[in-house]
Amino acid sequence: MIKLMIFFIVFVSISPSIISQNLTNCERSCPYSPLTQVPYPFGFSSGCQIQLNCTYNGSVLIGEFSVQQINPDDLLVSLPAMCGRQVEALSLLYGEHYAPLSTNAILLEMCTDPKENCIIPATTLQPNFENINCSGVQGGYGNVSCYSGDISSNFLEYENITRMGCRRLFSGFITDIIGDSRAVSVHLQMIKLGWWLKGSCDCSGDADCIKVVSPVDGSEGHRCNCKSGLEGDGYAAGSGCREGKGMPTLNIRSVY
Ligand SMILES: *[C@@H]1O[C@H](CO)[C@@H](O)[C@H](O)[C@H]1NC(C)=O
Ligand SMILES: *[C@@H]1O[C@H](CO)[C@@H](O)[C@H](O)[C@H]1NC(C)=O
Ligand SMILES: *[C@@H]1O[C@H](CO)[C@@H](O)[C@H](O)[C@H]1NC(C)=O
Ligand SMILES: *[C@@H]1O[C@H](CO)[C@@H](O)[C@H](O)[C@H]1NC(C)=O
Ligand SMILES: *[C@@H]1O[C@H](CO)[C@@H](O)[C@H](O)[C@H]1NC(C)=O
Ligand SMILES: *[C@@H]1O[C@H](CO)[C@@H](O)[C@H](O)[C@H]1NC(C)=O
């Protein structure tokens, strides 16, 4: 009896979105994906607030880019170094509900008006891409231009990037300022997208609302974050917030 109850608690805390899944008529599972069940407001069918693509082999995609993590504030998306990728692919990352954050830098090739504002000189990064040889393609790595976002704004300025007149999207990286220092850590071949839902706040009572202005069309948006110590999607229409799931695990250990 005790074991049964504990199993129930664990089940609820690990798979809360199963409960709300049917209500919203949104497919939230992507078979074979490490992300298996994605939280509200994400999903893979047209009934979902933020629709991602799920491939038959379990890749969760935005455009051609694979989503690695869905976090309360951002999506971690891989942007692998590649020769010859059309720059238009970048526009797919500027969606109705997400866009690259200003803490990213984008590496481009074949630019007519390169603007070197990079937080790290593009040549410094070159050794990290040694095994990628674009020389066969016009404008190999040696000619890569790097655009870093202006971190006083929230999102990476798409217009500024297009103004560089580049034809190839080579890769990108995430920068994190370490503490108060001037040191920067770099996460290569990945970028972070900020995400939002359209309209004014619609969070559950125990969540904070973060207002977001869409960089794509300037419209009003928001994101919900459960208050400290709680976890969940934080949305009134989702599963809201609950106590952290550390607890049921501890319960199991105390039983066995
Ligand atoms: C889930 O939705 C389907 C149709 O979309 C319906 O047939 C089924 O009864 C629903 N299940 C629950 C538990 O609501
Ligand atoms: C899924 O298949 C595509 C090609 O269709 C491939 O590029 C990708 O790497 C595959 N993903 C996984 C996780 O195997
Ligand atoms: C998902 O795939 C469809 C069809 O290829 C495409 O129209 C849509 O833009 C894709 N959505 C995302 C988020 O990549
Ligand atoms: C890159 O490829 C070109 C021709 O495809 C070759 O001449 C060159 O040596 C290669 N460079 C490196 C660093 O492998
Ligand atoms: C490198 O870029 C410049 C313009 O930024 C261009 O004139 C030059 O031809 C490019 N070099 C190669 C090898 O493509
Ligand atoms: C982007 O362009 C705007 C308008 O031209 C400019 O004010 C801003 O400083 C640019 N941002 C960066 C990071 O260069």
Side-chain angles (χ1 to χ4, degrees), residues 225-240:
N225 273 179
C226 290
K227 289 185 194 295
S228 156
L230 301 177
E231 58 184 51
D233 56 55
Y235 286 89
S239 57

Side-chain angles (χ1 to χ4, degrees), residues 153-173:
S153 62
N154 202 358
F155 294 100
L156 195 63
E157 308 88 344
Y158 184 64
E159 301 303 323
N160 295 27
I161 297 174
T162 53
R163 224 173 279 143
M164 291 163 63
C166 309
R167 287 165 58 196
R168 298 283 184 266
L169 173 60
F170 178 67
S171 187
F173 58 91

